Amino acid sequence: MSELCKVLIVDDEYLVRQGIKHLLHWEEEGFHMVGEAGNGKEALEMVATLEPHIVITDMVMPVMDGEEFVRRLKTSNPNIEIIVLSSFSEFEYVKSTFQSGVADYILKPTLETEGLLHVLRATADKIPSLRGREHSLESFTPSVDHIIDKLISGYETDTDVTNIRDSFPYDGFCLLGCPLKSLQGKKQNEIDSYKSNLLTELKDYLSPNEVRLHLIQTEPHLFIVLLNCRHTEVKQMTDILRHMLTSMREQKQGVWVLGELFQHLDQLGSIYRESFMKQMEYSFYFPEQLIIVTSELPMFPKLNTKFNLNQFTDEIKRKQSDTAFQYLQEHVEVLAAQFKNDVFEFKSFLSNIIFVIITLLDGSEVDTEELNEEKYVYFKRMEEAEYARDAVIILQTFLDKVKLMIGSVDNKDNKRVQQLLDYMHEHYAEPLTLAELSNHFHFNASYLSSYFSAHTKEGFSEYLNRIRIEKAIEMLKDDDYTISVISGSVGYSDHSYFCKVFKKFTGDSPSSYRRKFMKQEK
């Protein structure tokens, strides 16, 4: 068979890389996709290991852009041919790379199978070791990696999966995986080496049993293997995996997940996308677990987890923050126990609550300058939280700080409010209004109204009326005062309104109350 031309794809957009990977039948056309990188720096590290004949690279990328990557690659590996991907707007920029020895370019907006294949063939013909080879390999048999990759990615494959029966001879399949958290920021060759060693360790544990393992190349920081065994031996295999992971506890990367059992390889794509990757997220809610086995997950009843935001905000506005925060914490506790909740939605809810609380406090006496400066730190930490418990701790840390700030304001305000209440008791006969008192004592009128509701269990007007009616009751006990005089003396200029308010508080009119009192005195 002719030698396959090895190709490396470099583009910071995952979907673009996936699109190119599945645009044609690479191996059938005489090419082998040996790897993919997200930027020039990552690609340079991979070149030494993969030794590609051709590199297809984007121009605009983070860390190291295409222009610098092309220059460095051609300096260190002049025999590697380079094809540049570009958009129309980048064309002048792309032309500068031809001075570094770029073989050809492809416009992204017009990228299609025939055009890509034409450029690849023309470029491969420039490589001495590949010159004269057959473009199409009639006897080509797709590799296991090629078929698995097609199935995982959701692209249709016209290859009969029974052709790889020798690689997967048993009637049971399941996926096993874990996140490689400690490898964040590591070079690609280090990640590949770690995955290879981990696969070897798995094989050593499982080799005495009739189990086949195949490493699936997906995201760099995910380790996922396809297990193939007799479906009757899945329970035994699960026990072996638990024993293995217990012995590896000290080097634990994250929570492992063993997916559901399926019996046909062509189910792999749907199982991976619709089930297994969702189950991988469950580890967010089970940080103490060594392995999550899908068939052993607890059955939780579906709970109504809708948060009453109106109730929460009303309690904050009415200065009942302790009640509001207690309700929030109870709700979050319920959410954190629902492992099927979407992780992004869970984190977004907690971040949104932090934002809502700060916004509500902006209209209060609390100085929110520091909170507004720190909120983006909270958002970032929430986004990076590995587990639900970590996200809850971040929220709790925020709430603890807010409680202290509110408590500090309340302590200061208690003295000021007491002065205000004393003033109302002394000047109740005067035409007092909330706006006038707020201005006199340097309170925000809205805050003062909320404070009354929270701490006196009644509004400002009701509190003032209560003082006046209590004074009126004292005066009614003295027969020397007429009801009209009493009305004016306690602050009511409208006699009929005074009678209405008095009856609301006592259940009697002023005259009826006086008669009953006098009768009791006799």
Side-chain angles (χ1 to χ4, degrees):
M1 179 183 289
S2 301
E3 180 185 2
L4 293 177
C5 176
K6 295 184 288 186
V7 181
L8 172 67
I9 298 177
V10 188
D11 196 298
D12 62 317
E13 295 185 52
Y14 175 74
L15 291 178
V16 171
R17 299 198 305 268
Q18 288 296 300
I20 295 173
K21 281 174 64 177
H22 300 290
L23 199 56
L24 52 83
H25 299 291
W26 290 83
E27 295 179 7
E28 189 173 341
E29 298 295 345
F31 298 91
H32 179 208
M33 178 73 64
V34 292
E36 53 184 284
N39 58 67
K41 182 175 182 295
E42 191 177 296
L44 284 176
E45 294 167 356
M46 298 173 70
V47 164
T49 304
L50 301 177
E51 298 181 343
H53 295 104
I54 297 174
V55 172
I56 301 176
T57 182
D58 188 20
M59 293 304 295
V60 181
M61 298 180 291
V63 185
M64 182 187 292
D65 65 13
E67 186 176 22
E68 182 180 355
F69 168 60
V70 168
R71 186 175 66 254
R72 290 195 181 191
L73 180 59
K74 273 300 186 180
T75 300
S76 59
N77 297 272
N79 295 327
I80 295 178
E81 297 293 343
I82 301 173
I83 299 171
V84 169
L85 288 171
S86 72
S87 64
F88 290 114
S89 61
E90 299 166 357
F91 186 64
E92 291 301 319
Y93 180 43
V94 170
K95 285 200 299 187
S96 65
T97 63
F98 280 84
Q99 299 173 5
S100 300
V102 166
D104 211 334
Y105 71 92
I106 304 173
L107 292 174
K108 280 186 180 180
T110 61
L111 182 61
E112 40 79 32
T113 302
E114 187 175 341
L116 174 61
L117 189 56
H118 173 77
V119 171
L120 281 169
R121 285 173 174 171
T123 304
D125 284 343
K126 297 178 182 180
I127 301 171
S129 63
L130 300 177
R131 197 172 293 147
R133 72 197 183 106
E134 298 175 0
H135 285 151
S136 181
L137 307 178
E138 295 180 1
S139 60
F140 166 75
T141 300
S143 65
V144 174
D145 282 333
H146 177 83
I147 295 174
I148 294 297
D149 190 52
K150 284 279 188 181
L151 292 171
I152 285 288
S153 302
Y155 288 85
E156 292 185 6
T157 175
D158 51 12
T159 304
D160 188 349
V161 294
T162 58
N163 291 338
I164 55 173
R165 174 74 67 182
D166 290 344
S167 299
F168 305 104
Y170 306 116
D171 63 353
F173 296 90
C174 56
L175 290 165
L176 173 70
C178 78
L180 304 178
K181 297 182 183 298
S182 68
L183 299 186
Q184 296 287 343
K186 297 291 186 181
K187 295 180 179 179
Q188 186 62 44
N189 61 336
E190 294 179 273
I191 296 173
D192 291 341
S193 176
Y194 185 90
K195 287 184 177 181
S196 177
N197 292 336
L198 194 53
L199 181 64
T200 299
E201 195 166 356
L202 271 173
K203 287 180 177 179
D204 289 343
Y205 264 90
L206 297 173
S207 59
N209 304 274
E210 294 182 323
V211 179
R212 297 291 180 90
L213 295 89
H214 185 86
L215 180 63
I216 294 177
Q217 299 292 353
T218 55
E219 291 298 303
H221 298 103
L222 288 179
F223 175 80
I224 299 177
V225 292
L226 175 63
L227 302 179
N228 176 227
C229 65
R230 291 187 174 86
H231 75 275
T232 55
E233 296 178 358
V234 171
K235 177 64 171 65
Q236 179 186 358
M237 184 181 64
T238 303
D239 293 338
I240 295 172
L241 285 170
R242 278 202 177 93
H243 183 270
M244 168 191 160
L245 296 176
T246 300
S247 67
M248 294 169 57
R249 184 183 290 271
E250 291 184 0
Q251 52 177 310
K252 177 184 175 184
Q253 286 288 344
V255 179
W256 288 71
V257 174
L258 182 64
E260 63 185 280
L261 177 71
F262 57 101
Q263 295 185 306
H264 300 286
L265 189 58
D266 53 13
Q267 295 175 266
L268 175 61
S270 59
I271 292 291
Y272 174 81
R273 295 186 304 276
E274 299 168 15
S275 175
F276 184 73
M277 291 309 293
K278 179 63 179 176
Q279 290 154 9
M280 286 286 284
E281 287 195 351
Y282 294 170
S283 62
F284 180 75
Y285 298 96
F286 296 102
E288 302 301 329
Q289 293 275 65
L290 280 174
I291 182 170
I292 296 173
V293 181
T294 303
S295 61
E296 298 175 0
L297 285 170
M299 296 294 292
F300 281 120
K302 188 171 180 59
L303 301 176
N304 179 14
T305 54
K306 185 175 181 180
F307 185 71
N308 192 330
L309 186 60
N310 289 334
Q311 172 189 324
F312 179 77
T313 55
D314 285 346
E315 287 174 343
I316 295 287
K317 290 176 181 177
R318 289 188 283 110
K319 312 302 293 178
Q320 296 178 358
S321 57
D322 287 344
T323 304
F325 292 161
Q326 180 65 31
Y327 169 61
L328 172 62
Q329 288 168 307
E330 290 173 356
H331 181 81
V332 170
E333 186 177 338
V334 172
L335 284 183
Q338 300 295 307
F339 63 86
K340 291 188 177 181
N341 283 336
D342 182 84
V343 173
F344 175 78
E345 290 181 3
F346 178 79
K347 290 182 176 182
S348 295
F349 171 75
L350 300 190
S351 293
N352 288 338
I353 282 295
I354 290 174
F355 178 81
V356 167
I357 291 172
I358 294 175
T359 302
L360 289 171
L361 293 179
D362 280 338
S364 73
E365 298 297 311
V366 176
D367 184 356
T368 58
E369 182 178 356
E370 184 179 350
L371 291 176
N372 275 303
E373 290 176 355
E374 292 179 347
K375 65 185 176 185
Y376 297 106
V377 176
Y378 285 111
F379 296 159
K380 181 67 174 175
R381 289 176 59 200
M382 192 69 72
E383 180 185 345
E384 295 174 349
E386 291 186 11
Y387 300 111
R389 67 180 182 190
D390 300 329
V392 173
I393 289 172
I394 293 167
L395 175 66
Q396 188 59 56
T397 301
F398 169 78
L399 292 179
D400 288 343
K401 182 166 188 172
V402 169
K403 288 176 183 178
L404 287 174
M405 296 175 76
I406 292 175
S408 176
V409 169
D410 284 347
N411 289 336
K412 294 177 183 177
D413 288 349
N414 282 342
K415 296 178 181 178
R416 294 165 64 197
V417 171
Q418 188 57 52
Q419 292 174 343
L420 183 147
L421 296 179
D422 291 342
Y423 183 88
M424 290 176 68
H425 279 273
E426 293 172 7
H427 299 271
Y428 63 88
E430 300 172 13
L432 299 178
T433 66
L434 181 66
E436 290 170 349
L437 283 177
S438 299
N439 185 56
H440 182 78
F441 285 93
H442 308 292
F443 273 107
N444 176 286
S446 175
Y447 169 77
L448 184 58
S449 177
S450 298
Y451 189 93
F452 262 95
S453 298
H455 295 277
T456 65
K457 308 304 179 186
E458 55 193 351
F460 167 79
S461 296
E462 190 173 9
Y463 187 85
L464 179 59
N465 281 330
R466 186 176 298 282
I467 295 174
R468 287 172 169 173
I469 297 305
E470 287 174 354
K471 297 296 181 181
I473 288 173
E474 291 298 317
M475 294 182 73
L476 283 169
K477 294 176 182 178
D478 189 337
D479 206 23
D480 292 340
Y481 300 110
T482 65
I483 292 176
S484 179
V485 169
I486 293 173
S487 172
S489 298
V490 297
Y492 293 102
S493 58
D494 186 330
H495 175 74
S496 61
Y497 180 66
F498 164 68
C499 293
K500 181 179 179 181
V501 174
F502 190 94
K503 188 169 185 177
K504 176 184 176 183
F505 275 86
T506 66
D508 288 314
S509 65
S511 56
S512 175
Y513 185 91
R514 170 173 273 175
R515 284 195 300 271
K516 289 180 180 179
F517 176 78
M518 294 301 179
K519 186 176 181 180
Q520 289 175 355
E521 287 296 300
K522 292 179 180 180

